[in-house]
Amino acid sequence: MANLEEVTQSGAPSIEIHNEEEHGEHAKQSFWSKYVFSHDHKMIARQFLITGMIWAIIGAAFSVLFRIQLGYPSEKFPILEDLLGHWGEGGRINPEFYYSLVTMHGTIMIFFVLTAGLSGTFANFLIPLQCGARDMASPFLNMLSYWFFLAASVVMFSSLFLQTGPASGGWTAYPPLSALGDAMPGSRQGMDYWLISLALFVVSTLLGGINYISTILNLRTKGMTMNRLPLTIWALFFTACLGLLSFPVLLSGFILLLFDRHGGTSFYLSDIYLSSIGKALPNEGGNVILYQHLFWFLGHPEVYIVILPAMGIASEVISINSRKPIFGYSAMVGSLFAIAILSFLVWAHHMFVSGMNPFLGSVFVLLTLLIAIPSAIKVFNWLATLWRGNIRFTPGMLFAIGFVSVFISGGLTGIWLGNSTIDLHVHDTYFIIAHFHLVMGVAAMFGMFAGIYHWFPKMYGRYMNTTLGNIHFWVSIVGAYCIFWPMHYEGLAGMPRRYLDYSNWASFNQFEDLNRFITIASIIVFAVQLLFVFNFFYSIFKGRTVTSLNPWQATTLEWTTPIHPPHGNWDGEIPEVHRWAYDYDKDERPFISQTEPVGAREENMEHVAS
């Protein structure tokens, strides 16, 4: 065809590259083919990002609603009845709907935002660009991965409008609450919608993971050996491996749960006595602990499915904006690998209170404490990279440094929780809430924000507003510590989570003012996230235009593409790689691109990276 250039690269699928300036109207894509049913990995990344942002607003809004209840348990807010109908009757949140809010907040933020929104965005956007590929190994499957995610989103969103309400058994959906439709209103249709939605989500994750792994292993450009890959790609590679191995286990657990709910089986149910019907269930032989094992075999790798991409992004942004090579490249890759392996061996530390054998518990204590070692290696290397660096405090860099801060402060409390004797006391208290929100929730969100601010010029050809970005960072990090740090003290005092009213508990009345303070801080932090959303969408259309191919003076391949990369990324041949990804401040030069050949007398930094 006269208006198409067929380009293949090392066995990669043929990508049609359109030159609109040369071929005019014939090369223009329709709205549907460009924005909806796109095969371009960059557009699919934007689809994941914007869908994830919409879910983030919904999930964060839910947290504000239940924080209002926790901060002002005796107050009535008529606006709640206007917003929520019978769920907010009398200006107070209905207890059953409160549990739905908590369940949906956790589900949305962990799966739809921090898994699909973070990995789906940056794996799709960065893997072909930083590996030197025209597109993913299978652009069609890549498109399907987004559409399965969107289908999961539609099903989950629809459950919010059910008369009986969405799922309300907690984001872990433990049986018997999730297995018995008569247990509570949220255990009825809402739970079925929840299970179907997450089954679709798992399919999306598996399709994406297969693509990411295949692309990294098979479609790297000439010279891009594995030890020349940026740390972002290593992190996304291990993340995809974790998802590919662990999500099918979760899916099997969900299928068995559906059988118990509608097929009369007894995988999780046994002879449980129900006061509502005045007799025991006919089920025999089931064990609810089986579900916990199946769930947490995904649930703990899920923690690293969320945090590893943020680690990779932070490593990249910190090195670029410190103007220094990343400290200990080989150690960073090795620690990523160690984290990935150990994440499969620690799942039962979530189950210390389930009645497990104490000796078995001690094994999981040991393995849990071991996983702190590679995490500590990464923290040391980030700090060593920052040390005496010529730091540029861009919004992306601020969020990368903020990621390191909250990862350290949240991770240190994990040493407490990894000890079974301490965990027995603080399990299901606010100490747990504080720990995982800092080390996983806030840290992963900061990594995501760092990536958005840093690669926005490559995504949209414009810059986000720096002043608004700085305001976003400082309010977010101060607010995050104001929200979650006090919860450690509430948890040590034994304050249980998931209760909607503590006013009648003499032991916890002392925290009334503190809960109100946390609620006010959460509202302020939510408001500044809306400022970020405004900055994001305003900058797409009105942001300062990018005029340089490499605005951050980085070394990696994505900055060798045009400012607005076509489908296929490079107009001509894909550049060849000659060196590792972190040649900064070398031979009196601020940076050296990966595409520049190594000089005859030049010491190639990849040989001394470790």
Side-chain angles (χ1 to χ4, degrees):
M1 297 177 65
N3 65 325
L4 299 179
E5 177 189 354
E6 298 257 335
V7 181
T8 59
Q9 177 255 336
S10 62
S14 298
I15 304 297
E16 296 178 345
I17 299 181
H18 301 259
N19 189 327
E20 295 187 13
E21 293 182 2
E22 181 180 348
H23 302 295
E25 295 296 322
H26 295 289
K28 288 186 177 179
Q29 295 176 277
S30 69
F31 172 85
W32 294 99
S33 62
K34 183 174 182 179
Y35 295 105
V36 182
F37 298 107
S38 177
H39 286 194
D40 186 352
H41 71 98
K42 299 181 293 298
M43 181 56 67
I44 294 170
R46 297 184 194 109
Q47 292 172 329
F48 270 104
L49 176 58
I50 292 174
T51 307
M53 287 174 62
I54 293 170
W55 273 121
I57 295 169
I58 296 171
F62 286 172
S63 70
V64 169
L65 285 175
F66 64 70
R67 276 310 320 177
I68 290 174
Q69 168 64 35
L70 291 169
Y72 302 90
S74 303
E75 301 289 333
K76 294 183 178 180
F77 300 93
I79 191 173
L80 292 179
E81 189 167 8
D82 297 332
L83 287 173
L84 305 175
H86 70 284
W87 298 117
E89 189 174 356
R92 299 187 66 190
I93 293 176
N94 181 291
E96 292 163 349
F97 189 64
Y98 173 85
Y99 296 124
S100 292
L101 287 175
V102 173
T103 300
M104 297 303 290
H105 167 73
T107 302
I108 288 167
M109 298 306 293
I110 290 170
F111 292 113
F112 290 3
V113 178
L114 295 178
T115 301
L118 180 53
S119 289
T121 298
F122 291 102
N124 270 295
F125 191 76
L126 294 178
I127 288 174
L129 287 174
Q130 291 194 333
C131 287
R134 295 294 184 188
D135 207 307
M136 286 293 180
S138 175
F140 177 73
L141 286 184
N142 205 28
M143 179 191 73
L144 285 184
S145 72
Y146 171 73
W147 280 97
F148 271 101
F149 170 51
L150 186 63
S153 299
V154 170
V155 173
M156 188 67 75
F157 188 74
S158 300
S159 73
L160 301 176
F161 301 96
L162 294 172
Q163 185 174 0
T164 54
S168 60
W171 77 274
T172 57
Y174 281 176
L177 283 181
S178 60
L180 295 174
D182 293 330
M184 64 175 74
S187 298
R188 296 172 190 167
Q189 287 175 296
M191 182 54 64
D192 289 326
Y193 277 58
W194 190 91
L195 290 169
I196 293 169
S197 172
L198 286 186
L200 293 169
F201 177 85
V202 170
V203 174
S204 165
T205 303
L206 296 180
L207 289 174
I210 291 170
N211 240 338
Y212 307 153
I213 295 169
S214 301
T215 305
I216 293 169
L217 293 180
N218 296 319
L219 299 187
R220 302 188 307 278
T221 188
K222 184 178 180 182
M224 181 62 83
T225 56
M226 294 295 284
N227 64 343
R228 290 175 175 172
L229 287 173
L231 289 173
T232 44
I233 303 301
W234 275 111
L236 293 166
F237 174 73
F238 287 125
T239 300
C241 292
L242 289 178
L244 210 59
L245 294 172
S246 61
F247 268 108
V249 178
L250 179 70
L251 181 59
S252 68
F254 287 165
I255 292 171
L256 298 184
L257 184 55
L258 282 170
F259 283 162
D260 272 12
R261 287 176 59 83
H262 301 293
T265 57
S266 301
F267 293 106
Y268 309 128
L269 295 176
S270 60
D271 48 351
I272 300 172
Y273 183 84
L274 292 182
S275 59
S276 59
I277 61 176
K279 61 181 181 180
L281 293 175
N283 306 78
E284 293 181 4
N287 191 340
V288 295
I289 302 300
L290 169 62
Y291 177 86
Q292 292 191 31
H293 281 292
L294 294 174
F295 182 88
W296 288 116
F297 192 79
L298 168 279
H300 202 80
E302 171 66 15
V303 171
Y304 296 101
I305 289 171
V306 165
I307 205 68
L308 286 184
M311 287 179 170
I313 290 168
S315 301
E316 187 80 1
V317 174
I318 286 173
S319 179
I320 290 172
N321 289 290
S322 296
R323 313 310 297 157
K324 286 178 60 182
I326 194 75
F327 185 89
Y329 175 88
S330 297
M332 293 288 265
V333 174
S335 62
L336 286 171
F337 178 69
I339 288 171
I341 295 297
L342 289 170
S343 70
F344 281 104
L345 305 176
V346 297
W347 79 89
H349 71 210
H350 297 271
M351 300 167 57
F352 285 146
V353 297
S354 67
M356 72 165 60
N357 184 293
F359 173 77
L360 183 61
S362 68
V363 173
F364 282 100
V365 169
L366 174 62
L367 293 169
T368 300
L369 297 180
L370 280 177
I371 205 170
I373 297 174
S375 298
I377 290 171
K378 300 194 74 62
V379 168
F380 174 80
N381 287 5
W382 289 322
L383 296 178
T385 305
L386 288 166
W387 178 253
R388 302 186 71 177
N390 185 18
I391 299 176
R392 302 181 304 197
F393 291 102
T394 65
M397 182 61 161
L398 288 174
F399 274 104
I401 296 173
F403 163 85
V404 177
S405 171
V406 293
F407 183 76
I408 293 171
S409 56
L412 287 174
T413 57
I415 298 175
W416 293 42
L417 295 171
N419 188 318
S420 58
T421 55
I422 298 176
D423 184 76
L424 291 173
H425 172 67
V426 297
H427 191 87
D428 266 335
T429 71
Y430 269 75
F431 196 92
I432 294 280
I433 299 290
H435 163 72
F436 79 73
H437 273 85
L438 281 177
V439 77
M440 186 173 114
V442 178
M445 287 300 300
F446 275 25
M448 188 174 183
F449 288 137
I452 293 172
Y453 281 108
H454 184 76
W455 280 288
F456 191 89
K458 181 53 61 178
M459 286 184 178
Y460 294 102
R462 295 179 184 270
Y463 297 97
M464 293 182 71
N465 184 279
T466 300
T467 301
L468 294 182
N470 290 337
I471 294 171
H472 177 214
F473 168 74
W474 287 109
V475 175
S476 292
I477 192 166
V478 173
Y481 278 120
C482 287
I483 293 169
F484 298 115
W485 199 257
M487 290 183 185
H488 289 95
Y489 303 103
E490 295 180 330
L492 288 174
M495 187 169 171
R497 58 175 174 167
R498 300 196 182 101
Y499 285 41
L500 82 163
D501 188 352
Y502 297 92
S503 58
N504 294 324
W505 293 59
S507 303
F508 307 128
N509 278 338
Q510 59 180 314
F511 297 121
E512 181 179 352
D513 291 338
L514 185 57
N515 276 329
R516 193 163 296 168
F517 171 79
I518 294 172
T519 296
I520 294 170
S522 67
I523 293 172
I524 294 171
V525 170
F526 176 70
V528 84
Q529 307 317 310
L530 297 180
L531 180 67
F532 162 76
V533 172
F534 167 78
N535 188 8
F536 180 88
F537 286 104
Y538 180 84
S539 299
I540 290 176
F541 303 102
K542 299 292 185 179
R544 183 164 53 94
T545 304
V546 174
T547 58
S548 169
L549 284 181
N550 192 358
W552 306 127
Q553 294 186 313
T555 62
T556 44
L557 287 180
E558 73 269 31
W559 305 108
T560 64
T561 62
I563 293 174
H564 296 280
H567 187 188
N569 298 330
W570 288 269
D571 287 327
E573 293 184 0
I574 299 176
E576 182 179 347
V577 168
H578 298 277
R579 60 181 71 232
W580 76 319
Y582 299 102
D583 270 339
Y584 294 103
D585 191 26
K586 179 181 179 184
D587 297 337
E588 299 183 354
R589 297 174 63 184
F591 73 102
I592 307 175
S593 173
Q594 282 190 281
T595 60
E596 184 173 325
V598 178
R601 299 182 180 179
E602 184 183 357
E603 180 184 22
N604 192 344
M605 284 296 295
E606 69 181 89
H607 296 304
V608 294
S610 59

